[in-house]
Amino acid sequence: MTLSFRNLALLVMPLLFFPLSNNIYLHSDPKGFTWLIALLITFTTAVTFYTRNKTVEKKAVCKAKELTNTLKKLTDSEDKLKTLLVNLNVGIAVFSPQGELQLCNRKFIELGSPFNLDEVSPIGTLIDPSLNEDLPKDLLEKAIVHYINEEGQGMSIYEFPLFKVISTCKPLHKQIIGIKTPDNGGVRWAMGDYKPEFNETGGLSKVVVTVVDITDQKNSEIALMKSETRLNAFLKVIPDMFFLLDQNGNLIDHYLENTIIPSHMQGAFMGKNVNDLDFIDRYLSQITIQKIEKLFETGDIQTIEFCAQEHGKEIYFEVRLVLWGDNKVLAVVRDISKRKESEIKLYNMSIYDTLTNLYNRNYFEETLNKHLNKDTSGVGIVICDIDGLKLVNDTLGHTIGDDYLKMAATILHENFKKEDVVARIGGDEFAVLINHTSTTDLSSIVAKIDKSLELINTEERIIPISMSLGYAVGNGTQKDLKELLKLADNLMYREKLHHRQSEKSKNIQILAKMLEARDFITEGHGDRMQELCGKLAEGIGMSNNEIKDMHLFAQFHDIGKVGIPDRILFKPGRLTRDEMEEMKLHPEIGFRIAESSPDLAHISDWILKHHEWWDGNGYPFKLKREEIPLPSRILAIVDAFDAMTNNRPYRKAMSKEDALKEIINSKGRQFDPLLVEKFIELI
């Protein structure tokens, strides 16, 4: 039974107070007093021990409770720390001084391992939210082959930051490593801190590694780097100049690579205002400031074009102003000289005739339209047409025809003023618009043009150049210039008809000169052809008029050969297949020439078909028998006989008898059989 302090006091208190109440007892018996003192001492000692024991007991209980609470807090803290390490979005690992993985959380495996979690450790260990302590010792060695540095190069195990820390015992911070994923070849990027810890003797005890996922950041950096690389490459290849200005037009920065501005002069721009730049005149600088103000007002891109001089050559620039942030302007300056040249070229093509360099029809009509509803008084129009240009093109070729057009343009250009609008408005037609003129003035100009034509035609020329002109001057009664143009055009055609009548007889002479120029009627060929064709025509009963036409046909049947190049026409050897095909074009060329001449038009069809064969193997249409005109059949026999009995560039002449044998052999194949019989009789 436990003796409490209250029970002890009840036991001792009567013993203390009883002797004190009995003085007799105290005075009469000294031993009793001694006994009392001993009792008091005993009581005091008991009380003291009791009190001390109760205090110790109380403290012990408190300490026990405190220790219990501390242990509970430690347990809770450890659980929280463990939970924190497991759920932390940072990989944490502890490595031994030998580089063996001793402890890590799940995130470290996820970040640092290129393998699937199942391949690294048993499923239960990794899925269970606890720290992993039973990982394979060679895990790092297996993983290192998939690690790359920031440059994308592979790493050896000694280049790995962990082993650098182990070898140097110095911490490393912000070490970036790429982990290639074997499955898809992607790269996961991690940044880690490697901190060494030491034991009591100063030796390395472990290395604590913390790793964070920076894949998104790294990919952004890589994308940004690629973008910057592309931008730098782009900037290097473009010749544009870039200037950064403030709102007041002060130059803050610039990029002037690959521009016309030398490198030693580029620094002179910095800090200057556009008003202080030497190569910008006052007007342009004011326009620039105004455009900057408008840019900040509207936010719309502003454009400026200006021209500068370099070594006496004009260089065109375009400036584009765009907002850069809240209070800056980016000016992109581009050399647009080539574009301007193209624009000028296109514009010139739209208003000028490329062959003659005169204005074209579009420009002339636009000029006429500008005079709508205006007084026509004193406005003159001249219409000019080259006579016989079709004949020139068909006989001498379009190159010579173009030369005729150029000569006509030169004559007009020289005889009219610079401010007059001289234009080519058709294939062979020209027009001139003159302001402040009179009929007398235009008559004088036309007379000068006629003299220029006479001077040009004094040169040796197969077909002389001739022009028909008509002109009219407004008197205010015309409603517009188109009415005046029509009047001048009618007058030009009246003169053209007069030229046709007066020069009609010259056509035969001109064509004959053309034949002479190409040696087609030398050595009696023309005369022999006319004589034999006339005899054969007479022998089959043709009329006198038909015989005359046969003479004309015999003379000009090969007129188309003026369009065949000399290299083919006078080739000493046999013609190639391509050359022969080109030679076969001469009937068609001759047809066009004859059609353009009133004196030969009626024999043009004979000229076209004089190389057709009786059996249909001729050209150009492969006609047969009577489909071929009779005059063409007659000429085919005569022409073949004369060709065989006279020298050619590619062979010598045959005898008359041999030629007739060839004619007979070709009877019914190349030649009309009846006409061959008649021809043999005549010969």
Side-chain angles (χ1 to χ4, degrees):
M1 180 177 178
T2 304
L3 182 63
S4 66
F5 179 77
R6 177 174 174 272
N7 293 333
L8 181 61
L10 292 175
L11 178 63
V12 176
M13 285 300 291
L15 296 176
L16 289 174
F17 289 101
F18 174 74
L20 291 174
S21 64
N22 193 348
N23 291 328
I24 298 174
Y25 178 78
L26 292 172
H27 292 287
S28 61
D29 191 357
K31 291 183 179 180
F33 181 76
T34 301
W35 181 84
L36 180 60
I37 294 301
L39 184 61
L40 287 172
I41 291 171
T42 302
F43 175 75
T44 302
T45 302
V47 170
T48 301
F49 276 107
Y50 177 79
T51 303
R52 186 176 294 174
N53 287 338
K54 288 300 286 183
T55 301
V56 172
E57 181 183 354
K58 189 174 183 180
K59 287 182 178 180
V61 171
C62 290
K63 287 291 184 180
K65 289 182 178 180
E66 184 178 344
L67 182 60
T68 301
N69 291 334
T70 301
L71 290 174
K72 187 175 184 305
K73 288 180 180 180
L74 286 174
T75 302
D76 293 342
S77 178
E78 183 179 352
D79 291 340
K80 290 179 180 178
L81 179 60
K82 199 171 186 179
T83 303
L84 178 64
L85 290 175
V86 170
N87 297 313
L88 195 63
N89 200 30
V90 176
I92 300 176
V94 178
F95 288 87
S96 71
Q98 291 74 36
E100 295 177 347
L101 183 59
Q102 296 178 329
L103 179 67
C104 71
N105 64 351
R106 183 187 183 94
K107 194 64 179 178
F108 182 83
I109 300 297
E110 292 177 354
L111 293 179
S113 173
F115 311 111
N116 294 327
L117 295 180
D118 300 349
E119 302 174 8
V120 177
S121 187
I123 296 296
T125 305
L126 291 169
I127 294 179
D128 182 45
S130 62
L131 298 180
N132 300 286
E133 301 178 282
D134 56 351
L135 294 166
K137 300 299 182 182
D138 60 349
L139 176 61
L140 184 58
E141 294 180 2
K142 291 181 178 180
I144 196 73
V145 296
H146 299 282
Y147 289 172
I148 58 174
N149 57 25
E150 283 193 90
E151 288 72 34
Q153 299 172 344
M155 301 175 64
S156 69
I157 196 166
Y158 300 104
E159 294 175 314
F160 192 63
L162 171 66
F163 291 96
K164 289 183 180 180
V165 173
I166 291 174
S167 61
T168 63
C169 293
K170 293 180 180 180
L172 291 176
H173 301 287
K174 297 182 179 179
Q175 300 296 300
I176 297 176
I177 294 175
I179 303 97
K180 288 185 177 180
T181 305
D183 295 340
N184 55 24
V187 179
R188 183 171 61 254
W189 293 94
M191 183 172 68
D193 288 344
Y194 299 78
K195 181 181 178 183
E197 292 190 4
F198 306 93
N199 55 29
E200 295 176 356
T201 61
L204 182 65
S205 62
K206 57 191 170 190
V207 178
V208 179
V209 181
T210 56
V211 181
V212 293
D213 188 349
I214 61 166
T215 302
D216 292 341
Q217 174 187 337
K218 191 65 179 177
N219 288 340
S220 298
E221 291 176 359
I222 293 173
L224 179 60
M225 187 180 300
K226 289 181 179 178
S227 177
E228 289 178 349
T229 302
R230 289 194 297 268
L231 178 60
N232 288 333
F234 178 72
L235 290 174
K236 285 182 179 179
V237 298
I238 63 173
D240 294 350
M241 296 176 280
F242 298 87
F243 295 92
L244 191 62
L245 302 91
D246 63 16
Q247 200 163 353
N248 298 318
N250 296 312
L251 291 170
I252 301 172
D253 198 359
H254 60 66
Y255 182 87
L256 302 174
E257 296 292 332
N258 302 321
T259 64
I260 62 172
I261 300 177
S263 56
H264 67 276
M265 295 178 57
Q266 294 177 4
F269 295 103
M270 296 302 297
K272 286 189 176 182
N273 191 276
V274 292
N275 292 310
D276 302 326
L277 296 176
D278 297 334
F279 62 89
I280 295 181
D281 57 34
R282 187 66 180 171
Y283 173 76
L284 182 57
S285 62
Q286 290 177 351
I287 291 294
T288 303
I289 295 298
Q290 293 174 6
K291 291 286 187 178
I292 290 175
E293 292 175 353
K294 189 173 181 180
L295 174 65
F296 280 99
E297 289 176 4
T298 64
D300 297 331
I301 295 175
Q302 302 297 309
T303 304
I304 307 170
E305 288 188 7
F306 69 95
C307 180
Q309 294 282 338
E310 183 185 19
H311 306 302
K313 181 181 178 182
E314 290 185 340
I315 302 178
Y316 293 89
F317 293 95
E318 178 191 72
V319 183
R320 286 178 175 266
L321 303 175
V322 296
L323 288 176
W324 184 276
D326 296 331
N327 57 356
K328 292 182 180 63
V329 178
L330 177 64
V332 182
V333 183
R334 172 170 293 184
D335 184 345
I336 59 170
S337 299
K338 290 185 178 180
R339 192 189 81 189
K340 275 292 183 182
E341 289 174 4
S342 299
E343 289 176 355
I344 293 171
K345 186 176 180 180
L346 288 173
Y347 175 72
N348 288 338
M349 289 174 63
S350 69
I351 66 170
Y352 289 107
D353 175 60
T354 55
L355 178 65
T356 62
N357 290 325
L358 300 178
Y359 290 115
N360 59 20
R361 185 181 187 90
N362 290 335
Y363 184 82
F364 186 78
E365 290 183 347
E366 287 178 5
T367 306
L368 292 182
N369 292 332
K370 290 178 182 178
H371 286 77
L372 288 175
N373 303 320
K374 291 183 179 180
D375 187 10
T376 60
S377 299
V379 180
I381 291 181
V382 178
I383 299 296
C384 172
D385 187 276
I386 299 179
D387 299 325
L389 184 62
K390 187 177 187 304
L391 178 63
V392 174
N393 287 331
D394 290 340
T395 55
L396 303 179
H398 286 274
T399 301
I400 303 299
D402 290 345
D403 290 339
Y404 276 57
L405 288 168
K406 292 175 183 177
M407 284 188 286
T410 301
I411 291 171
L412 294 175
H413 181 74
E414 290 175 348
N415 285 280
F416 287 96
K417 298 177 182 178
K418 185 177 181 180
E419 58 268 22
D420 297 335
V421 179
V422 183
R424 181 187 176 196
I425 60 173
D428 56 0
E429 195 170 8
F430 299 85
V432 186
L433 178 65
I434 312 102
N435 288 308
H436 312 297
T437 190
S438 65
T439 304
T440 303
D441 293 337
L442 294 185
S443 177
S444 175
I445 292 173
V446 169
K448 291 180 181 179
I449 292 173
D450 289 338
K451 288 183 179 180
S452 298
L453 290 171
E454 290 177 7
L455 181 62
I456 288 177
N457 288 326
T458 57
E459 302 174 5
E460 188 66 27
R461 197 177 304 280
I462 295 175
I463 301 178
I465 180 171
S466 173
M467 299 170 65
S468 299
L469 293 94
Y471 58 88
V473 178
N475 55 15
T477 60
Q478 295 83 10
K479 63 178 181 179
D480 55 33
L481 292 184
K482 289 186 178 180
E483 185 177 338
L484 198 63
L485 176 67
K486 186 176 182 181
L487 177 60
D489 196 48
N490 290 335
L491 292 172
M492 183 274 294
Y493 274 107
R494 181 183 298 175
E495 183 175 354
K496 197 171 188 69
L497 288 173
H498 173 70
H499 283 179
R500 284 179 179 174
Q501 293 298 322
S502 62
E503 295 183 3
K504 182 176 180 180
S505 60
K506 295 181 181 179
N507 286 340
I508 298 296
Q509 298 175 8
I510 291 172
L511 293 173
K513 286 173 65 178
M514 292 171 61
L515 288 170
E516 290 174 2
R518 303 303 298 276
D519 293 333
F520 291 139
I521 59 172
T522 58
E523 301 178 0
H525 173 69
D527 294 336
R528 291 192 302 272
M529 288 291 295
Q530 292 182 60
E531 181 183 356
L532 289 175
C533 283
K535 284 183 178 181
L536 186 53
E538 184 179 358
I540 64 173
M542 281 188 171
S543 66
N544 288 333
N545 287 334
E546 289 174 333
I547 293 173
K548 288 181 180 179
D549 287 340
M550 279 302 303
H551 287 158
L552 188 64
F553 177 37
Q555 183 180 4
F556 292 103
H557 69 281
D558 271 341
I559 189 65
K561 287 185 179 179
V562 298
I564 303 301
D566 288 347
R567 61 179 174 80
I568 296 177
L569 202 60
F570 301 114
K571 184 177 179 179
R574 287 188 174 275
L575 300 180
T576 65
R577 180 176 296 181
D578 291 339
E579 290 171 341
M580 194 63 204
E581 290 301 317
E582 192 168 354
M583 176 65 85
K584 288 180 179 180
L585 295 176
H586 81 271
E588 299 171 55
I589 298 173
F591 171 78
R592 292 196 299 270
I593 293 172
E595 281 284 291
S596 65
S597 172
D599 294 322
L600 299 179
H602 65 291
I603 65 170
S604 61
D605 189 57
W606 303 349
I607 293 174
L608 179 63
K609 299 170 182 176
H610 77 276
H611 274 289
E612 298 287 354
W613 284 20
W614 180 258
D615 64 358
N617 288 317
Y619 62 87
F621 302 118
K622 296 187 179 299
L623 301 178
K624 293 181 180 180
R625 298 176 178 270
E626 283 77 13
E627 293 176 347
I628 307 169
L630 178 61
S632 298
R633 283 181 273 155
I634 293 173
L635 186 127
I637 298 172
V638 174
D639 192 28
F641 179 79
D642 190 74
M644 287 186 285
T645 55
N646 289 277
N647 291 326
R648 283 289 187 264
Y650 50 88
R651 61 162 175 78
K652 292 183 178 181
M654 298 171 59
S655 66
K656 179 179 177 182
E657 291 74 16
D658 290 339
L660 286 175
K661 288 180 181 179
E662 289 293 330
I663 296 291
I664 293 171
N665 290 335
S666 299
K667 181 177 66 174
R669 181 169 58 88
Q670 184 176 355
F671 308 119
D672 183 338
L674 295 178
L675 291 177
V676 169
E677 295 295 334
K678 196 67 180 176
F679 181 74
I680 292 173
E681 292 177 8
L682 293 173
I683 296 300

